[in-house]
Amino acid sequence: MDFNLTPLNKMVIKTARAFCETEIPAIDAYMKEHNDYPPYLQEIFAKHHMLGMDIPKELGGIGADNFNLILIAEEVGKTASTCMLPFFMNNSVAETICHWGTEEVIKKFVPPLCDGTAWASMAFTEPNTGSDPRALTLTAEPDGDDFILNGTKRFISMANKPGPGVFFAKDLSMKGKPFDTTAFIVDKMSPGITFSGHYELMGLDGADTCDVFFTDVRVPKANILGRQGKGFPILLRWIAGERIQQCAATIGGGQAALDESVKYGNQRVVGGFPMGYMQGFSWMLADMKTRVEACRLLCYKTVKLQDEKNKGFEAASSELKVLTVPLIQEVCRQAVQFHGSYGYSKEYKVEKIFRNAMHLGVVASSLEINKTIAGMTILTQK
C-alpha cells in the first residue's frame, strides 16, 4: 500500500482545515444557542465542495472518492463539532440512492443532496429493534400507485429537516415471503409525518435526533429503493460506509485529544519542568500516539476496499470498528486523565472529545454486533 497522499488528497485536507477554521466556530456558536443545526448548514458544506463527494459531476457531485471523504471526516472530527453528522448523512444517502435507485429516483433526489438544499436521513431503528428486520413495526400497505405507511422510527438524525429519508418498513404486499423489508424514499415533510422533540444525548451536543411518527403517510411506489422485500441489504451496505466515516471522524477526535495533551504537557510545569517530560506522562503520550496511528492505517485500508468496490469492505468496516472503539475511547479517556481535574472541566476541549467518543460503540451498529459480523466472516471465509 502506498502511504503517500496525492496532491489532490493534500488539497482536500487543506480545504477541510480552512472550513474548520473559518466556518465551524460560528456553526458551533449557533448550535450552542439554539440546540440545533443552522438551517443553512448543508449549503455551507456545498459551498466548500464537501457534498456529493463520490457522486458524478453530472448529478451535481464532486466526482471524487470515499478516501477523500474520510480525510475531510478526520479533520472535522478534530474539532469535536456535531456538524459532522449532517455532512456524513447527505454524502452517504446520496451515494446509496445512486447505487440502488432508478434513473428517475436518482435525478429527483440526488442533486438537492449535493447542492445543500435538502437534508438526508436514514431510518431503520424503532423502539424495539435496531438490527432485526423481522421485528420492524413500521408497515407499508399498497394502495393503488402508492403505499400507506404507519408506525414509528426512533433516534433518527435530521428527521425533522426538509429532504428525503430512506425509511425501512415491513411490506405487507410481501406477506408470506421470506423477506418483507422494503426501503422507501420518503419526503420527510409529507402530510401525516410528525416528530418528537430532540433527545438529550451524552455527547454530540446539539444533534437533532428524534422519533418520527407515520400516520397514513402516502408514498409513491416509484419511490421504492432497490427491489421490494430486499431492503435489508441496502441498509447493510449503507451502514458499512457509515461506519468508516464515523470511525474516521472519531480517529480525528483521538488525534485532537493527543494534540491537546501534548500542548498541556508542554505548558503545565511541575517541579520546574514541563509535566509531559515526566516518564509516566510521556508513556501515556506514546500509548495514545500508537493507538491513533493504528486505527488511522486500518481506516485507510478499509476505505480503499470500499473505493475498489470490493464487497469485502462491509466485513472490513466491522473489523475497523472493533479496533477503533476501544482504542480511541481509551485515548480520549487518557487525555482527560492527562489533564487531571482540568480534563473534567468543560473549559477544556478533551472533555467534549471524550463524550463524543462514547457514541462510537453504540451508534451506527453496536460494537458487539460488529464483533459478531467480523467473527462470523472469519469462520465462513474460504
Side-chain angles (χ1 to χ4, degrees):
M1 177 182 285
D2 184 0
F3 294 100
N4 295 312
L5 296 176
T6 67
L8 174 60
N9 298 150
K10 293 176 182 178
M11 183 182 72
V12 167
I13 292 173
K14 183 179 179 180
T15 300
R17 287 177 179 169
F19 168 83
C20 293
E21 292 172 3
T22 60
E23 302 286 6
I24 284 186
I27 292 170
D28 282 355
Y30 181 98
M31 294 182 68
K32 185 175 182 179
E33 179 180 355
H34 299 277
N35 195 34
D36 201 351
Y37 301 111
Y40 45 82
L41 177 60
Q42 296 288 14
E43 294 178 43
I44 295 176
F45 286 131
K47 183 181 74 173
H48 288 267
H49 307 290
M50 294 168 64
L51 296 183
M53 289 294 296
D54 56 348
I55 301 300
K57 292 182 179 180
E58 56 267 26
L59 292 171
I62 304 301
D65 55 23
N66 290 289
F67 185 75
N68 283 298
L69 194 157
I70 65 112
L71 293 177
I72 297 174
E74 183 173 349
E75 293 303 318
V76 177
K78 291 176 184 178
T79 70
S81 175
T82 309
C83 77
M84 63 183 175
L85 300 182
F87 161 66
F88 293 160
M89 194 64 71
N90 265 41
N91 274 290
S92 63
V93 171
E95 191 280 334
T96 296
I97 293 174
C98 274
H99 185 82
W100 298 97
T102 63
E103 183 178 356
E104 176 187 357
V105 160
I106 291 170
K107 289 182 177 179
K108 179 178 179 180
F109 292 109
V110 170
L113 296 178
C114 295
D115 66 22
T117 56
W119 297 66
S121 295
M122 184 70 69
F124 180 87
T125 301
E126 295 185 358
N128 293 314
T129 184
S131 59
D132 183 3
R134 295 167 298 181
L136 289 177
T137 58
L138 178 69
T139 59
E141 185 173 7
D143 184 53
D145 292 332
D146 300 329
F147 275 81
I148 299 177
L149 274 59
N150 283 284
T152 300
K153 290 296 183 183
R154 174 148 293 172
F155 296 135
I156 307 305
S157 298
M158 283 72 70
N160 57 4
K161 303 290 189 293
V166 179
F167 287 81
F168 296 85
K170 184 178 292 294
D171 188 339
L172 298 183
S173 70
M174 306 294 289
K175 188 175 181 179
K177 297 185 178 180
F179 304 105
D180 62 0
T181 300
T182 297
F184 295 88
I185 304 176
V186 180
D187 178 352
K188 293 176 290 179
M189 299 296 107
S190 298
I193 295 180
T194 56
F195 312 98
S196 71
H198 296 181
Y199 279 93
E200 295 294 329
L201 306 176
M202 174 183 180
L204 304 176
D205 300 341
D208 66 350
T209 304
C210 63
D211 289 352
V212 188
F213 308 109
F214 285 74
T215 304
D216 294 333
V217 177
R218 285 191 171 272
V219 179
K221 286 183 177 179
N223 283 19
I224 290 176
L225 185 62
R227 294 165 56 194
Q228 278 188 257
K230 302 294 184 180
F232 198 54
I234 295 174
L235 176 74
L236 295 181
R237 182 182 177 278
W238 170 80
I239 209 165
E242 184 76 357
R243 278 194 290 262
I244 300 172
Q245 296 171 18
Q246 181 195 41
C247 285
T250 309
I251 290 165
Q255 182 65 56
L258 171 61
D259 294 343
E260 291 294 312
S261 298
V262 170
K263 181 171 67 175
Y264 186 80
N266 279 315
Q267 293 175 347
R268 178 77 168 177
V269 176
V270 178
F273 294 93
M275 184 188 80
Y277 289 86
M278 299 173 69
Q279 186 179 66
F281 290 107
S282 67
W283 284 7
M284 290 174 70
L285 295 175
D287 286 342
M288 294 163 74
K289 171 70 172 178
T290 52
R291 286 167 175 154
V292 170
E293 286 293 328
C295 292
R296 179 180 289 119
L297 291 176
L298 187 58
C299 187
Y300 285 4
K301 176 184 176 182
T302 307
V303 79
K304 287 290 188 181
L305 291 176
Q306 184 183 16
D307 280 334
E308 292 167 1
K309 311 300 181 186
N310 186 323
K311 186 169 173 53
F313 95 89
E314 295 183 19
S317 74
S318 288
E319 295 172 11
L320 172 64
K321 192 154 184 173
V322 169
L323 180 76
T324 303
V325 170
L327 291 194
I328 297 300
Q329 287 183 347
E330 176 60 11
V331 166
C332 297
R333 187 204 65 80
Q334 285 181 298
V336 171
Q337 191 69 26
F338 195 97
H339 284 72
S341 297
Y342 291 110
Y344 198 62
S345 167
K346 289 185 180 293
E347 294 181 15
Y348 282 76
K349 185 177 178 180
V350 292
E351 181 270 345
K352 184 178 182 181
I353 294 172
F354 174 79
R355 287 189 292 110
N356 282 355
M358 292 301 102
H359 93 286
L360 184 63
V362 294
V363 174
S365 67
S366 70
L367 172 62
E368 290 72 25
I369 284 179
N370 282 282
K371 285 183 176 181
T372 300
I373 294 170
M376 293 301 291
T377 301
I378 294 168
L379 288 169
T380 56
Q381 280 179 339
K382 295 180 181 180

